Amino acid sequence: MSEITTLKCNTDFRRTYLRGKSYTNPALVLYVNKNRAGLCRVGITTSKKIGNAVQRNRARRVIREALRQLYPEFKDKKYDMVFVARTKTIYKSSADIQRVMKSLLVSAGITE
Protein backbone atom coordinates (compact mmCIF):
# COMPACT_ATOMS: atom_id res chain seq x y z
CA MET A 1 0.00 0.00 0.00
CA SER A 2 1.52 3.31 -1.02
CA GLU A 3 0.99 6.70 0.53
CA ILE A 4 1.35 10.27 -0.54
CA THR A 5 4.76 11.67 0.22
CA THR A 6 5.87 15.22 -0.38
CA LEU A 7 8.38 16.52 -2.87
CA LYS A 8 10.98 18.47 -0.97
CA CYS A 9 14.08 18.82 -3.15
CA ASN A 10 14.32 21.58 -5.71
CA THR A 11 15.71 19.04 -8.20
CA ASP A 12 12.51 16.97 -7.91
CA PHE A 13 10.37 20.03 -8.58
CA ARG A 14 12.54 21.07 -11.53
CA ARG A 15 12.48 17.56 -13.03
CA THR A 16 8.68 17.51 -12.81
CA TYR A 17 8.42 20.96 -14.42
CA LEU A 18 10.83 20.12 -17.25
CA ARG A 19 10.00 16.50 -18.07
CA GLY A 20 6.39 16.37 -16.93
CA LYS A 21 3.21 17.20 -18.75
CA SER A 22 1.14 20.19 -17.63
CA TYR A 23 -2.63 20.53 -17.31
CA THR A 24 -4.12 23.94 -16.62
CA ASN A 25 -7.25 25.48 -15.20
CA PRO A 26 -7.90 29.10 -14.15
CA ALA A 27 -7.66 28.03 -10.50
CA LEU A 28 -4.89 25.41 -10.60
CA VAL A 29 -2.03 24.01 -12.68
CA LEU A 30 -0.93 20.37 -12.50
CA TYR A 31 2.46 19.02 -13.60
CA VAL A 32 2.68 15.23 -13.79
CA ASN A 33 5.72 13.02 -14.32
CA LYS A 34 6.00 9.24 -13.88
CA ASN A 35 8.59 8.10 -11.36
CA ARG A 36 10.35 4.84 -10.61
CA ALA A 37 10.11 5.23 -6.86
CA GLY A 38 6.87 3.25 -6.73
CA LEU A 39 5.06 5.86 -4.69
CA CYS A 40 3.06 8.99 -5.21
CA ARG A 41 4.97 12.20 -4.46
CA VAL A 42 3.22 15.56 -4.42
CA GLY A 43 4.48 19.13 -4.21
CA ILE A 44 2.42 22.29 -3.81
CA THR A 45 3.67 25.67 -4.98
CA THR A 46 2.20 29.06 -4.16
CA SER A 47 4.01 32.17 -5.29
CA LYS A 48 3.89 35.63 -3.79
CA LYS A 49 1.55 36.65 -6.60
CA ILE A 50 -1.19 34.76 -4.74
CA GLY A 51 -1.23 37.20 -1.83
CA ASN A 52 0.11 37.45 1.66
CA ALA A 53 1.27 34.51 3.79
CA VAL A 54 -2.18 33.84 5.21
CA GLN A 55 -3.70 33.52 1.73
CA ARG A 56 -0.84 31.33 0.47
CA ASN A 57 -1.13 29.01 3.47
CA ARG A 58 -4.91 28.76 2.99
CA ALA A 59 -4.41 27.89 -0.69
CA ARG A 60 -1.97 25.12 0.27
CA ARG A 61 -4.36 23.77 2.91
CA VAL A 62 -7.28 23.71 0.47
CA ILE A 63 -5.19 21.93 -2.20
CA ARG A 64 -3.88 19.39 0.34
CA GLU A 65 -7.40 18.60 1.59
CA ALA A 66 -8.78 18.17 -1.94
CA LEU A 67 -5.90 15.83 -2.76
CA ARG A 68 -6.49 13.81 0.41
CA GLN A 69 -10.14 13.30 -0.63
CA LEU A 70 -9.22 12.21 -4.18
CA TYR A 71 -6.21 10.01 -3.38
CA PRO A 72 -8.15 6.70 -2.99
CA GLU A 73 -9.36 7.06 -6.62
CA PHE A 74 -5.84 7.05 -8.10
CA LYS A 75 -5.29 4.13 -10.51
CA ASP A 76 -1.50 4.07 -10.67
CA LYS A 77 0.33 5.56 -7.70
CA LYS A 78 3.74 6.06 -9.31
CA TYR A 79 3.69 9.76 -10.16
CA ASP A 80 5.43 12.95 -9.18
CA MET A 81 2.86 15.74 -9.17
CA VAL A 82 3.22 19.46 -8.58
CA PHE A 83 0.13 21.58 -8.01
CA VAL A 84 0.65 25.28 -8.65
CA ALA A 85 -1.89 27.62 -7.07
CA ARG A 86 -3.13 30.54 -9.14
CA THR A 87 -4.67 33.81 -7.99
CA LYS A 88 -8.22 32.42 -8.31
CA THR A 89 -7.38 29.59 -5.90
CA ILE A 90 -7.78 31.80 -2.84
CA TYR A 91 -11.39 32.61 -3.78
CA LYS A 92 -12.44 28.97 -4.17
CA SER A 93 -13.75 26.61 -1.52
CA SER A 94 -12.29 23.18 -0.88
CA ALA A 95 -15.16 21.54 -2.79
CA ASP A 96 -14.52 23.79 -5.82
CA ILE A 97 -10.81 22.99 -5.80
CA GLN A 98 -11.65 19.30 -5.46
CA ARG A 99 -13.80 19.47 -8.64
CA VAL A 100 -11.04 21.34 -10.50
CA MET A 101 -8.42 18.87 -9.28
CA LYS A 102 -10.59 15.90 -10.28
CA SER A 103 -10.94 17.25 -13.84
CA LEU A 104 -7.18 17.84 -14.09
CA LEU A 105 -6.41 14.34 -12.78
CA VAL A 106 -8.91 12.77 -15.21
CA SER A 107 -7.32 14.60 -18.16
CA ALA A 108 -3.90 13.42 -16.94
CA GLY A 109 -5.19 9.83 -16.80
CA ILE A 110 -4.53 9.37 -13.09
CA THR A 111 -8.17 8.92 -12.05
CA GLU A 112 -11.33 7.95 -13.89
Side-chain angles (χ1 to χ4, degrees):
M1 182 173 153
S2 61
E3 286 186 20
I4 299 176
T5 58
T6 57
L7 286 176
K8 294 185 175 122
C9 296
N10 188 24
T11 55
D12 294 335
F13 277 91
R14 291 175 64 102
R15 183 183 316 112
T16 305
Y17 289 140
L18 293 173
R19 295 186 188 160
K21 185 148 174 46
S22 66
Y23 303 90
T24 61
N25 186 285
L28 204 59
V29 178
L30 169 64
Y31 290 92
V32 178
N33 189 25
K34 270 211 172 240
N35 68 24
R36 289 186 247 161
L39 46 103
C40 183
R41 301 188 305 173
V42 177
I44 299 172
T45 304
T46 54
S47 72
K48 286 193 174 184
K49 291 179 186 177
I50 301 296
N52 61 20
V54 173
Q55 292 170 324
R56 291 193 303 271
N57 285 330
R58 181 188 178 280
R60 280 192 289 269
R61 270 197 320 272
V62 167
I63 291 170
R64 214 175 298 121
E65 177 60 23
L67 182 67
R68 190 183 67 78
Q69 296 287 330
L70 291 173
Y71 183 70
E73 299 177 21
F74 284 15
K75 292 187 288 188
D76 186 14
K77 301 181 179 183
K78 296 178 182 176
Y79 288 101
D80 287 343
M81 292 182 272
V82 176
F83 289 97
V84 180
R86 287 185 156 179
T87 53
K88 292 188 179 189
T89 306
I90 59 173
Y91 303 111
K92 304 273 185 187
S93 68
S94 181
D96 293 336
I97 293 296
Q98 187 173 348
R99 279 192 293 278
V100 168
M101 190 179 289
K102 172 88 171 168
S103 70
L104 291 174
L105 291 169
V106 166
S107 59
I110 298 174
T111 62
E112 295 177 351

